[in-house]
Amino acid sequence: MTIEEVMEYAVTHNCSDVHITQGTNLAVRRFGMLHILDERPTSEESQEMIYSILSRDEIARVEAGEDVDTGLYIGEGIRVRANVYHQRNNLACSIRLLMSEIPEFEALGLPDVIKTLATANNGIILVTGPTGSGKTTTLSAIVDYINKNEARHVITIEDPIEYIYPHNRAMIHQREVGRDVPSFASALHSALREDPDIILVGEMRDFETIAAAITAAETGHLVLSTLHTQSAAQTINRIIDGSPADMQATIRSQFAASIRGVISQQLLPMADGNGRVLTHEVMIGTSAIKSLIIEDKIQMIPGAIQSAAQQGMHTLNNDLQRLNQMGLITRKTAIDAAYDPNELEKMLGVTNYSF
């Protein structure tokens, strides 16, 4: 069995992830559920499949005991992101399949207000959610929209590079952490000297990166990035609480001034079992939202979002209610996904809700 054959199986069966581990069966993730396959390659076959997606330098790093992240094409146009690691003295590899083409906003189920956010001249737009919630795909759709509609210089900082953008109206330079640059933070500092209009930071992992991103936004750039948070309010708390105590007041003020919007999302199983659907919360950086951040009244943000539907905002519960009423997700799925299930229980009794 070759890696190309495994990838062909994954594509044919709509799998999002493939797991190869020396000494055990292959596994795939389909519509969010993990499936252990009957195929059990030998240890040598598993190692050969894993090594076949790595460069000589990456193989040397793996053999030296390092974990390796990489992005590449396998077979006929199958773009993947892979992480190779060690477990119980054996090699293992997790492979995420990426869409062959960057989807349009409409195909993802994203609201049009995000297009308005994407045309901002400066500030910060964050896409948040748990692992596997489609954050990278949403960011890619935003960059692709900019590429098709705006004559701007975009610099991406990724680990690894996932989607490849051809030059269209925009000029896009993609830099990979570990290959082109040593870290997100250092690449952000360098980007300020590279005449960008827009900077995409694959993930804001630490305070140094967060501070550099806010500085970039303050100096007239639009910054796009991700965080592993489940709501707009939780995102704001993560940004501020992750800062040193003596810097929190400053970061709070800077972030309030810079924030353009937060899109928090999840991928949920569809009611008919045939795929997953995107659900999201959208917060726009209005004057009211900025004031709540500055005044440290983060607990009031869900209410402010709820009352500002006319400005393009909605809570996660709003969207879960919409999807349930459309028959796309079950009531149980909606309630399990809600961060305020008691409120959603009451909302699900309402019909014909829209925003």
Side-chain angles (χ1 to χ4, degrees), residues 83-342:
N83 176 267
V84 180
Y85 57 101
H86 299 79
Q87 65 89 41
R88 290 167 53 186
N89 205 34
N90 284 310
L91 274 184
C93 181
S94 295
I95 301 174
R96 168 68 51 83
L97 280 77
L98 305 173
M99 294 184 180
S100 56
E101 295 183 0
I102 301 171
E104 302 280 347
F105 277 64
E106 293 74 17
L108 291 174
L110 293 169
D112 283 344
V113 69
I114 298 177
K115 294 180 181 179
T116 304
L117 292 178
T119 60
N121 290 323
N122 52 46
I124 296 177
I125 300 172
L126 297 176
V127 180
T128 78
T131 299
S133 61
K135 297 185 297 296
T136 298
T137 303
T138 293
L139 270 186
S140 298
I142 293 173
V143 173
D144 188 57
Y145 177 81
I146 293 167
N147 194 21
K148 291 174 179 175
N149 295 279
E150 302 280 325
R152 308 180 83 179
H153 181 200
V154 182
I155 292 177
T156 77
I157 307 163
E158 304 171 72
D159 184 20
I161 289 172
E162 298 189 16
Y163 292 99
I164 304 297
Y165 307 97
H167 291 337
N168 196 325
R169 289 202 65 194
M171 180 174 65
I172 303 179
H173 289 129
Q174 297 182 256
R175 311 190 73 193
E176 185 167 311
V177 174
R179 289 186 176 180
D180 303 311
V181 291
S183 68
F184 284 112
S186 64
L188 262 167
H189 289 301
S190 294
L192 298 182
R193 300 187 295 273
E194 293 156 5
D195 188 35
D197 299 295
I198 299 167
I199 305 170
L200 182 150
V201 185
E203 185 180 344
M204 296 211 291
R205 295 178 177 173
D206 51 41
F207 172 70
E208 186 180 5
T209 304
I210 291 170
I214 290 175
T215 297
E218 286 186 316
T219 53
H221 306 87
L222 182 64
V223 178
L224 313 174
S225 193
T226 70
L227 278 174
H228 289 91
T229 49
Q230 296 187 348
S231 69
Q234 190 181 100
T235 299
I236 296 164
N237 282 330
R238 177 71 59 84
I239 292 285
I240 296 167
D241 293 346
S243 306
D246 62 342
M247 290 289 295
Q248 288 184 3
T250 300
I251 292 295
R252 182 185 301 280
S253 176
Q254 290 176 318
F255 184 71
S258 301
I259 188 63
R260 286 286 180 178
V262 177
I263 303 110
S264 301
Q265 60 183 59
Q266 300 179 43
L267 283 171
L268 303 179
M270 297 183 71
D272 62 7
N274 189 29
R276 293 189 291 173
V277 64
L278 185 71
T279 184
H280 38 67
E281 172 174 280
V282 176
M283 184 198 81
I284 309 297
T286 61
S287 296
I289 293 293
K290 292 175 184 289
S291 294
L292 291 177
I293 296 173
I294 291 171
E295 295 167 10
D296 195 14
K297 296 179 179 178
I298 309 304
Q299 74 281 2
M300 297 177 65
I301 282 180
I305 294 173
Q306 180 90 35
S307 62
Q310 73 279 3
Q311 294 173 286
M313 290 194 251
H314 60 265
T315 65
L316 178 64
N317 278 0
N318 292 151
D319 204 44
L320 292 169
Q321 181 192 29
R322 176 182 67 89
L323 293 174
N324 176 251
Q325 292 181 349
M326 292 173 66
L328 293 176
I329 60 174
T330 66
R331 184 183 183 93
K332 182 180 185 306
T333 295
I335 292 171
D336 287 347
Y339 52 78
D340 190 344
N342 292 329

Side-chain angles (χ1 to χ4, degrees), residues 5-15 30-31 78 97:
E5 290 171 334
V6 174
M7 289 298 103
E8 184 177 347
Y9 174 92
V11 171
T12 302
H13 291 80
N14 296 311
C15 302
R30 184 173 184 267
F31 302 148
I78 303 171
L97 280 77

Side-chain angles (χ1 to χ4, degrees), residues 32-106:
M33 297 295 294
L34 189 71
H35 300 273
I36 308 299
L37 303 182
D38 293 333
E39 288 79 1
R40 186 186 179 99
T42 65
S43 180
E44 291 76 15
E45 288 172 335
S46 295
Q47 177 175 301
E48 185 177 340
M49 282 192 284
I50 294 170
Y51 276 10
S52 71
I53 67 173
L54 301 176
S55 67
R56 289 182 181 178
D57 178 61
E58 288 168 338
I59 290 172
R61 289 168 55 198
V62 167
E63 292 181 344
E66 293 184 40
D67 293 354
V68 170
D69 288 304
T70 188
L72 71 155
Y73 285 101
I74 297 178
E76 293 296 322
I78 303 171
R79 182 78 181 167
V80 303
R81 179 186 74 203
N83 176 267
V84 180
Y85 57 101
H86 299 79
Q87 65 89 41
R88 290 167 53 186
N89 205 34
N90 284 310
L91 274 184
C93 181
S94 295
I95 301 174
R96 168 68 51 83
L97 280 77
L98 305 173
M99 294 184 180
S100 56
E101 295 183 0
I102 301 171
E104 302 280 347
F105 277 64
E106 293 74 17

